[in-house]
Amino acid sequence: MKLNSVELHRIKLSLVAPFETSFGVQTERDVLLLKAITDAGEGWGECVAGEEPTYSSEYVEGAQEVLIRHLIPRLLNREISLADVARILRPIHGHNMAKAALEMAMLDAELRADGKSFGQFFGATRTAVDCGVSVGIHSSIPELLQTVGGYLDAGYLRIKLKIKPGWDVEPVRAVRERFGDVPLQVDANTAYSLADAKHLAELDRFDLLLIEQPLPEEEVLAHAKLARNVKTPICLDESITSAQAAADAIELGACQVINIKPGRVGGYLEGRKIHDVCVERGIPVWMGGMLETGIGRAGNVAMAAMPGFTLPGDTSASDRYYHRDITEPFVLQDGRLKVPTRPGLGVTVDREYLDSITFWSGTLGRGGMSAASG
Ligand code: OSB
Ligand code: MG
């Protein structure tokens, strides 16, 4: 396959409700989308980097810069196979979300040309995937209970509560008391330290599926120590940036569960490797989420249909995030989302709507950047 050029689009999408985590409040997404134009055809990729470098060191403006200056030029106008993409980009350190978006667009182009869906490519063994929903930090317990009740009524099969110091045991207790034994887990996004082990152990009595990323991302050994002091299984998100990191964390005893986000690990191919590492070692995995549009959601839902994804993912329906998605919406049916079956990502971008919410776009090809607008 030969990459002739890449279209970059920056769009703004308002969230249906503010989403608060231990690292901040988000009310909209500023999304970088890529369209790879190859000799085989076109494909879409979504970059999951946030507006600010608060979840990880990546942020959307930086991702755009590194793609234009360092990543896309390395792939342009040469014969490459998909398996080569990560290897060619490897000398550029970090920037996993930027790399993942580019690889995704190339993968979509190749699979569309081959008439093969993402699900088929990953070896999906299900036609629909079980869905959970990630519930932000609320300003009061009654408001939280109202939100959780709405999601349960909609059919979500698992609830994840975002927690931080000062918003942890009480919200979990309240949800357990009101909604009984619904599958429940929490996500701290690195907000605690090992000194909080006793406090975090107070969550043990609520029979949670897991506690996600309680400690800073580089504190892998501390997670192993924490695991000896809490009964709730520990799941890593931010710390797992590659299949090697996953294998190391598992061997250290730092996690009993892993959340896979293709953007965080540098792409779907690396995500598939992590899946395989975890299956080999008996570690359950589930699909994370980064508030993706229909483009990223399509890929995530397809990967979540692989056999090792044994827990419900943060693969929620389009209407949990946006009033209007940029593809046909993903709709929850009996708590599940259908895996797209058409070639590539299997979704169609609503180009007219996309253009109406685009605030910047440009094309990078043989002659450099051109037709930048906005
Ligand atoms: O830690 O899983 C996380 C969203 C943005 C950044 C980090 C996280 C999240 C979520 C939302 O929890 C998951 C979703 O897309 O529904
Ligand atoms: Mg998380």
Coordinates of all heavy atoms in Angstrom, one line a residue, residues 39-93:
D39 N -3.2 4.4 -2.4 CA -3.4 3.9 -3.8 C -4.5 2.9 -3.8 O -5.1 2.5 -4.8 CB -2.1 3.4 -4.4 CG -1.5 2.3 -3.6 OD1 -1.9 2.0 -2.5 OD2 -0.5 1.7 -4.1
A40 N -4.8 2.3 -2.6 CA -5.9 1.3 -2.5 C -7.3 1.9 -2.2 O -8.3 1.3 -2.5 CB -5.6 0.3 -1.4
G41 N -7.3 3.1 -1.7 CA -8.5 3.8 -1.3 C -8.3 4.6 -0.1 O -7.2 4.8 0.3
E42 N -9.4 5.0 0.5 CA -9.4 5.9 1.7 C -9.8 5.3 3.0 O -10.5 4.3 3.0 CB -10.3 7.1 1.4 CG -10.0 7.9 0.1 CD -10.9 9.0 -0.2 OE1 -12.0 9.1 0.5 OE2 -10.6 9.8 -1.1
G43 N -9.3 5.8 4.1 CA -9.7 5.3 5.4 C -9.6 6.4 6.4 O -8.8 7.3 6.3
W44 N -10.4 6.2 7.5 CA -10.5 7.2 8.6 C -9.8 6.8 9.8 O -9.8 5.6 10.2 CB -12.0 7.5 8.9 CG -12.7 8.3 7.9 CD1 -13.5 7.8 6.8 CD2 -12.7 9.7 7.8 NE1 -14.0 8.9 6.1 CE2 -13.5 10.0 6.7 CE3 -12.1 10.8 8.5 CZ2 -13.8 11.4 6.3 CZ3 -12.4 12.1 8.1 CH2 -13.2 12.4 7.0
G45 N -9.2 7.7 10.5 CA -8.7 7.5 11.8 C -9.1 8.6 12.8 O -9.3 9.7 12.3
E46 N -9.2 8.3 14.1 CA -9.6 9.3 15.1 C -8.5 9.3 16.1 O -8.0 8.3 16.6 CB -10.9 8.9 15.8 CG -11.3 9.8 16.9 CD -12.7 9.6 17.5 OE1 -13.5 8.9 16.8 OE2 -13.0 10.1 18.6
C47 N -8.1 10.5 16.4 CA -7.1 10.7 17.5 C -7.8 11.0 18.8 O -8.6 11.9 18.9 CB -6.1 11.9 17.1 SG -4.8 12.1 18.4
V48 N -7.4 10.2 19.8 CA -8.2 10.3 21.1 C -7.5 11.3 22.1 O -8.0 11.5 23.2 CB -8.4 9.0 21.8 CG1 -9.2 8.0 20.9 CG2 -7.0 8.3 22.2
A49 N -6.5 12.0 21.7 CA -5.8 12.9 22.6 C -6.8 14.0 23.0 O -7.6 14.5 22.2 CB -4.6 13.6 21.9
G50 N -6.7 14.4 24.3 CA -7.6 15.4 24.8 C -7.1 16.8 24.5 O -6.1 17.0 23.9
E51 N -7.9 17.8 24.9 CA -7.5 19.2 24.6 C -6.3 19.6 25.4 O -5.5 20.4 25.0 CB -8.8 20.1 24.9 CG -8.8 21.3 24.0 CD -10.2 22.0 24.0 OE1 -11.2 21.3 24.3 OE2 -10.2 23.2 23.7
E52 N -6.3 19.0 26.6 CA -5.1 19.3 27.5 C -4.4 18.0 27.9 O -5.0 16.9 27.9 CB -5.7 19.9 28.9 CG -6.3 21.3 28.6 CD -6.9 21.8 29.9 OE1 -7.0 21.1 30.9 OE2 -7.2 23.0 29.9
P53 N -3.1 18.1 28.2 CA -2.4 16.9 28.6 C -2.6 16.5 30.0 O -1.7 16.6 30.8 CB -0.9 17.3 28.3 CG -0.9 18.8 28.4 CD -2.2 19.3 28.1
T54 N -3.8 16.1 30.3 CA -4.2 15.8 31.7 C -4.4 14.3 32.0 O -4.2 13.8 33.1 CB -5.4 16.6 32.2 OG1 -6.4 16.5 31.1 CG2 -5.1 18.0 32.4
Y55 N -4.9 13.6 31.0 CA -5.0 12.1 31.1 C -3.7 11.5 30.9 O -3.2 10.6 31.6 CB -6.1 11.6 30.1 CG -6.0 10.1 29.9 CD1 -6.5 9.2 30.8 CD2 -5.3 9.6 28.7 CE1 -6.4 7.8 30.6 CE2 -5.3 8.2 28.5 CZ -5.8 7.3 29.4 OH -5.7 6.0 29.2
S56 N -3.0 12.0 29.9 CA -1.6 11.6 29.6 C -0.9 12.8 29.1 O -1.4 13.9 29.0 CB -1.6 10.4 28.6 OG -1.8 11.0 27.3
S57 N 0.4 12.6 28.7 CA 1.2 13.8 28.2 C 0.7 14.2 26.8 O 1.1 15.3 26.4 CB 2.7 13.4 28.2 OG 2.9 12.4 27.2
E58 N -0.1 13.5 26.2 CA -0.5 13.9 24.8 C -1.7 14.8 24.9 O -2.5 14.8 25.8 CB -0.9 12.7 24.0 CG 0.3 11.8 23.6 CD 0.0 10.7 22.6 OE1 0.0 11.0 21.4 OE2 -0.3 9.6 23.0
Y59 N -1.8 15.7 23.9 CA -2.9 16.6 23.7 C -3.1 16.9 22.2 O -2.1 16.7 21.4 CB -2.7 17.9 24.5 CG -1.5 18.8 24.1 CD1 -1.7 20.0 23.5 CD2 -0.2 18.4 24.4 CE1 -0.7 20.8 23.1 CE2 0.8 19.1 24.0 CZ 0.6 20.3 23.4 OH 1.7 21.1 23.0
V60 N -4.3 17.3 21.8 CA -4.6 17.3 20.4 C -3.8 18.2 19.6 O -3.3 17.8 18.5 CB -6.2 17.5 20.3 CG1 -6.5 18.9 20.7 CG2 -6.6 17.3 18.8
E61 N -3.4 19.3 20.1 CA -2.6 20.3 19.3 C -1.2 19.7 19.0 O -0.6 19.8 18.0 CB -2.5 21.6 20.0 CG -2.1 22.8 19.2 CD -3.2 23.3 18.2 OE1 -4.4 23.4 18.6 OE2 -2.8 23.5 17.0
G62 N -0.7 19.0 20.1 CA 0.6 18.4 20.0 C 0.6 17.2 19.0 O 1.5 16.9 18.3
A63 N -0.5 16.4 19.1 CA -0.7 15.3 18.2 C -0.7 15.7 16.7 O 0.0 15.1 15.9 CB -1.9 14.5 18.5
Q64 N -1.4 16.8 16.5 CA -1.5 17.3 15.1 C -0.1 17.7 14.6 O 0.3 17.4 13.5 CB -2.4 18.5 15.1 CG -2.6 19.1 13.7 CD -3.6 20.3 13.7 OE1 -4.7 20.1 14.3 NE2 -3.3 21.3 13.0
E65 N 0.6 18.4 15.5 CA 2.0 18.9 15.2 C 2.9 17.7 14.9 O 3.7 17.8 13.9 CB 2.5 19.7 16.3 CG 4.0 20.1 16.3 CD 4.3 21.1 15.3 OE1 3.4 21.8 14.7 OE2 5.5 21.3 15.0
V66 N 2.9 16.7 15.7 CA 3.9 15.6 15.5 C 3.5 14.8 14.3 O 4.3 14.2 13.6 CB 4.0 14.8 16.8 CG1 2.9 13.8 17.0 CG2 5.4 14.0 16.8
L67 N 2.2 14.7 14.0 CA 1.7 14.0 12.8 C 2.2 14.7 11.6 O 2.8 14.1 10.6 CB 0.2 13.9 12.8 CG -0.4 12.7 13.6 CD1 -1.8 13.0 14.0 CD2 -0.2 11.4 12.8
I68 N 2.1 16.0 11.5 CA 2.4 16.8 10.3 C 4.0 16.8 10.2 O 4.5 16.7 9.1 CB 1.8 18.2 10.4 CG1 0.3 18.2 10.3 CG2 2.4 19.1 9.3 CD1 -0.4 19.5 10.6
R69 N 4.6 17.1 11.3 CA 6.1 17.3 11.2 C 6.9 16.0 11.1 O 8.0 16.0 10.5 CB 6.5 18.1 12.4 CG 7.8 18.8 12.2 CD 8.1 19.7 13.4 NE 7.4 21.0 13.4 CZ 7.8 22.1 12.7 NH1 8.9 22.0 11.9 NH2 7.1 23.2 12.7
H70 N 6.4 15.0 11.9 CA 7.3 13.8 12.0 C 6.7 12.5 11.6 O 7.5 11.6 11.2 CB 7.7 13.7 13.5 CG 8.5 14.8 14.0 ND1 9.8 15.1 13.6 CD2 8.1 15.9 14.8 CE1 10.2 16.2 14.2 NE2 9.2 16.7 14.9
L71 N 5.4 12.3 11.8 CA 4.9 10.9 11.6 C 4.4 10.7 10.1 O 4.9 9.8 9.4 CB 3.7 10.6 12.5 CG 4.1 10.7 14.0 CD1 2.9 10.5 14.9 CD2 5.2 9.6 14.4
I72 N 3.5 11.5 9.6 CA 3.0 11.3 8.3 C 4.1 11.4 7.2 O 4.2 10.5 6.3 CB 1.9 12.4 7.9 CG1 0.7 12.2 8.9 CG2 1.5 12.3 6.5 CD1 -0.4 13.3 8.8
P73 N 5.1 12.3 7.3 CA 6.2 12.3 6.3 C 6.9 11.0 6.2 O 7.4 10.7 5.1 CB 7.1 13.5 6.7 CG 6.2 14.4 7.5 CD 5.2 13.5 8.2
R74 N 7.0 10.3 7.3 CA 7.8 9.0 7.2 C 7.0 7.9 6.5 O 7.7 6.9 6.1 CB 8.1 8.5 8.6 CG 9.1 9.4 9.3 CD 9.5 8.8 10.7 NE 10.5 9.7 11.2 CZ 11.7 9.3 11.6 NH1 12.1 8.1 11.6 NH2 12.6 10.3 12.1
L75 N 5.7 8.1 6.3 CA 5.0 7.0 5.6 C 4.6 7.4 4.2 O 4.2 6.5 3.4 CB 3.6 6.8 6.4 CG 3.7 6.3 7.8 CD1 2.4 5.9 8.3 CD2 4.7 5.1 7.9
L76 N 4.7 8.7 3.8 CA 4.2 9.1 2.5 C 5.1 8.5 1.4 O 6.3 8.4 1.5 CB 4.3 10.6 2.4 CG 3.2 11.4 3.1 CD1 3.5 12.9 3.0 CD2 1.8 11.1 2.5
N77 N 4.3 8.1 0.3 CA 5.0 7.8 -1.0 C 6.0 6.7 -0.9 O 7.1 6.8 -1.6 CB 5.6 9.1 -1.6 CG 4.6 10.2 -1.8 OD1 3.5 9.9 -2.3 ND2 4.9 11.3 -1.2
R78 N 5.7 5.7 -0.2 CA 6.6 4.5 -0.2 C 5.7 3.3 0.0 O 4.6 3.3 0.5 CB 7.7 4.5 0.9 CG 7.1 4.7 2.3 CD 8.2 5.1 3.3 NE 8.9 3.9 3.7 CZ 9.7 3.9 4.8 NH1 9.8 5.0 5.5 NH2 10.3 2.8 5.1
E79 N 6.2 2.2 -0.6 CA 5.4 0.9 -0.4 C 5.5 0.4 1.0 O 6.6 0.1 1.4 CB 6.0 -0.1 -1.5 CG 5.0 -1.2 -1.8 CD 3.6 -0.8 -2.3 OE1 3.5 0.1 -3.1 OE2 2.7 -1.3 -1.7
I80 N 4.4 0.3 1.7 CA 4.4 -0.2 3.1 C 3.3 -1.2 3.3 O 2.2 -1.0 2.7 CB 4.4 0.9 4.2 CG1 3.4 2.0 3.8 CG2 5.7 1.5 4.5 CD1 3.2 3.0 4.9
S81 N 3.5 -2.1 4.2 CA 2.4 -2.9 4.6 C 2.0 -2.5 6.0 O 2.8 -1.8 6.7 CB 2.8 -4.4 4.7 OG 3.6 -4.6 5.8
L82 N 0.8 -2.8 6.4 CA 0.3 -2.3 7.7 C 1.2 -2.7 8.9 O 1.4 -1.9 9.8 CB -1.1 -3.0 7.9 CG -2.0 -2.1 8.7 CD1 -2.2 -0.7 8.0 CD2 -3.3 -2.8 8.7
A83 N 1.7 -3.9 8.8 CA 2.6 -4.4 9.9 C 3.8 -3.5 10.0 O 4.4 -3.5 11.1 CB 3.0 -5.8 9.6
D84 N 4.2 -2.8 8.9 CA 5.4 -1.9 9.0 C 5.2 -0.6 9.7 O 6.1 0.1 10.1 CB 5.9 -1.6 7.6 CG 6.4 -2.8 6.8 OD1 6.8 -3.7 7.5 OD2 6.3 -2.7 5.6
V85 N 3.9 -0.1 9.8 CA 3.6 1.2 10.2 C 4.2 1.5 11.5 O 5.0 2.5 11.7 CB 2.1 1.5 10.2 CG1 1.8 2.9 10.8 CG2 1.6 1.5 8.7
A86 N 3.9 0.7 12.5 CA 4.4 0.9 13.9 C 6.0 0.9 13.9 O 6.6 1.7 14.6 CB 3.9 -0.1 14.9
R87 N 6.6 0.0 13.1 CA 8.0 -0.2 13.1 C 8.7 1.1 12.5 O 9.7 1.6 13.0 CB 8.4 -1.4 12.3 CG 9.8 -1.8 12.3 CD 10.1 -3.0 11.5 NE 9.6 -3.0 10.1 CZ 10.1 -2.2 9.1 NH1 11.2 -1.5 9.4 NH2 9.6 -2.2 7.9
I88 N 8.1 1.6 11.4 CA 8.6 2.8 10.8 C 8.5 4.0 11.7 O 9.4 4.9 11.7 CB 7.9 3.1 9.4 CG1 8.2 1.9 8.5 CG2 8.3 4.4 8.8 CD1 7.3 2.0 7.2
L89 N 7.4 4.1 12.5 CA 7.2 5.2 13.4 C 7.9 5.1 14.7 O 8.0 6.1 15.5 CB 5.7 5.4 13.6 CG 4.8 5.6 12.4 CD1 3.4 5.8 12.8 CD2 5.3 6.8 11.5
R90 N 8.5 4.0 15.0 CA 9.1 3.7 16.3 C 10.2 4.6 16.7 O 10.4 5.0 17.8 CB 9.6 2.2 16.2 CG 10.4 1.7 17.4 CD 9.5 1.3 18.5 NE 10.3 1.1 19.8 CZ 9.8 1.3 21.0 NH1 8.6 1.6 21.2 NH2 10.6 1.1 22.0
P91 N 11.1 5.1 15.7 CA 12.2 6.0 16.1 C 11.6 7.3 16.7 O 12.3 8.0 17.4 CB 12.9 6.3 14.8 CG 12.6 5.1 13.9 CD 11.2 4.7 14.3
I92 N 10.4 7.7 16.4 CA 9.8 8.8 17.1 C 9.2 8.3 18.4 O 8.3 7.5 18.4 CB 8.6 9.4 16.2 CG1 9.1 9.8 14.8 CG2 8.0 10.6 16.9 CD1 10.2 10.8 14.7
H93 N 9.7 8.8 19.5 CA 9.3 8.2 20.8 C 8.0 8.8 21.2 O 7.7 9.9 20.9 CB 10.4 8.5 21.8 CG 11.6 7.7 21.7 ND1 12.4 7.2 22.8 CD2 12.2 7.1 20.6 CE1 13.4 6.5 22.3 NE2 13.3 6.4 21.0

